[in-house]
């Protein structure tokens, strides 16, 4: 076990262990899309406080539940070993038993379901379908007969659920319909959250190959993965221009470009850094996604 992991596993208390298990640094991925859905609703005059807050809490719980599922099922599949380069996983480190992590996962998803009852009351059957599919996808990422993260299709599901589903679902809960601008605005969050996954896969390409985890990075190699990251981040900055040209947003959405100073260093890292130092790049990409979403939403609201 490397020194970074030893630092976390020297008699941590229960709160510290569960803090590690939920992986707070991944939570911007769940927050950004809801912010975009809220910003668009504010700009269109259809904002509703209750549905937004509950949707944000539900999104955070789904992300935490997915993190716990990844922790325990990656361990069960033998993917998480002492060679792991990413942040500590509590099951692999022996800080929690698989049963404890599974119980935590069930508890978190149960809370998300309870919040979802209110959202279903507000939004009807479409929200019921979204909620069920979201929980299934969160678990199926690493569990079940066709684990998405092991088959090279996780990128698609991450884009869909953190892009159109999250943004348009948040907007729908407030407005009762989905404005065309919401569909376009859902693309950048999906792209940037997918970019977080790409960094993760780039970092773990060698250990994933040994474990038989066939991510796109394993299937197509490092140069492809680097190009994929650049395309995802770059396209996120093109979408506001398309929205302006189509007339579904004013030029104030270009405010999102103020996040470029955060994008440049992480793009550089993807092409120059290998192994565990990419943990910093992963956190930087998560930060970029959150800042971009905030600036984009503010720009739309200003317009």
């Amino acid at each position: 076990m490397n020194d970074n992991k030893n630092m976390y596993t020297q008699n941590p208390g229960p709160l510290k262990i569960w803090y590690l298990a939920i992986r707070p640094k991944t939570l911007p991925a769940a927050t950004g899309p809801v912010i975009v859905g809220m910003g668009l609703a504010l700009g269109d005059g259809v904002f509703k406080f209750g549905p937004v807050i509950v949707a944000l809490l539900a999104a955070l719980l789904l992300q935490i539940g997915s993190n716990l599922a990844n922790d325990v099922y990656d361990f069960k599949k033998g993917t998480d070993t002492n060679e792991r380069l990413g942040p500590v996983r509590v099951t692999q480190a022996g800080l929690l038993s698989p049963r404890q992590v599974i119980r935590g996962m069930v508890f978190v998803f149960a809370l998300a379901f309870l919040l979802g009852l209110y959202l279903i009351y507000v939004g009807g059957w479409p929200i019921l379908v979204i909620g069920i599919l979201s929980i299934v996808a969160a678990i199926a990422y690493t569990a079940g007969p066709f684990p998405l993260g092991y088959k090279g299709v996780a990128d698609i599901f991450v884009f869909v659920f953190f892009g159109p589903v999250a943004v348009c679902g948040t907007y729908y809960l407030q407005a009762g319909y989905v404005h065309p601008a919401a569909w376009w605005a859902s693309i950048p969050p999906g792209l940037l959250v997918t970019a977080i996954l790409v960094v993760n896969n780039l970092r773990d390409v060698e250990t994933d190959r040994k474990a038989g985890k066939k991510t796109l990075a394993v299937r197509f190699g490092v140069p492809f993965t680097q190009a994929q990251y650049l395309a995802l981040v770059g396209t996120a900055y093109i979408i506001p221009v398309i929205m302006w040209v189509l007339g579904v947003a004013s030029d104030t959405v270009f405010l999102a470009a103020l996040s470029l100073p955060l994008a440049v260093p992480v793009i550089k890292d993807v092409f120059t850094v290998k192994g565990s130092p990419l943990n910093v790049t992963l956190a930087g990409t998560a930060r970029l996604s959150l800042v971009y979403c905030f600036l984009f939403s503010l720009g739309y609201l200003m317009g």
Side-chain angles (χ1 to χ4, degrees), residues 15 18 58 93 118 162 175 177 204 206 229 257 269 283 299:
L15 291 179
W18 283 106
Y118 166 75
F162 286 90
Y177 62 91
D204 295 340
E206 295 302 330
Y229 183 88
D269 283 354

Side-chain angles (χ1 to χ4, degrees), residues 33 60 79 84 119 132 152 191 200 212 215 222 231 263-264 271 276 281 290:
L60 292 172
T79 305
R84 176 175 165 78
L119 297 178
I132 293 173
L191 294 173
N200 183 82
T215 63
V222 169
V264 172
F271 284 89
S276 57
T281 311
L290 183 60

Side-chain angles (χ1 to χ4, degrees), residues 181-198:
W183 291 106
W184 282 104
S186 72
I187 296 175
L191 294 173
L192 293 174
V193 175
T194 305
I196 298 173
L197 173 64
V198 171

Side-chain angles (χ1 to χ4, degrees), residues 2-32:
N2 60 39
D3 292 337
N4 182 54
K5 293 180 180 179
N6 282 329
M7 178 177 67
Y8 289 111
T9 55
Q10 292 174 351
N11 301 317
L15 291 179
K16 178 65 173 180
I17 292 173
W18 283 106
Y19 178 85
L20 293 172
I22 67 175
R23 285 185 272 163
K25 290 184 178 181
T26 67
L27 299 185
T31 305

Side-chain angles (χ1 to χ4, degrees), residues 37-54:
M38 178 183 70
L40 266 65
L42 281 167
D44 293 341
V46 295
F47 170 75
K48 292 182 181 178
F49 180 79
V52 166
I53 293 301
V54 176

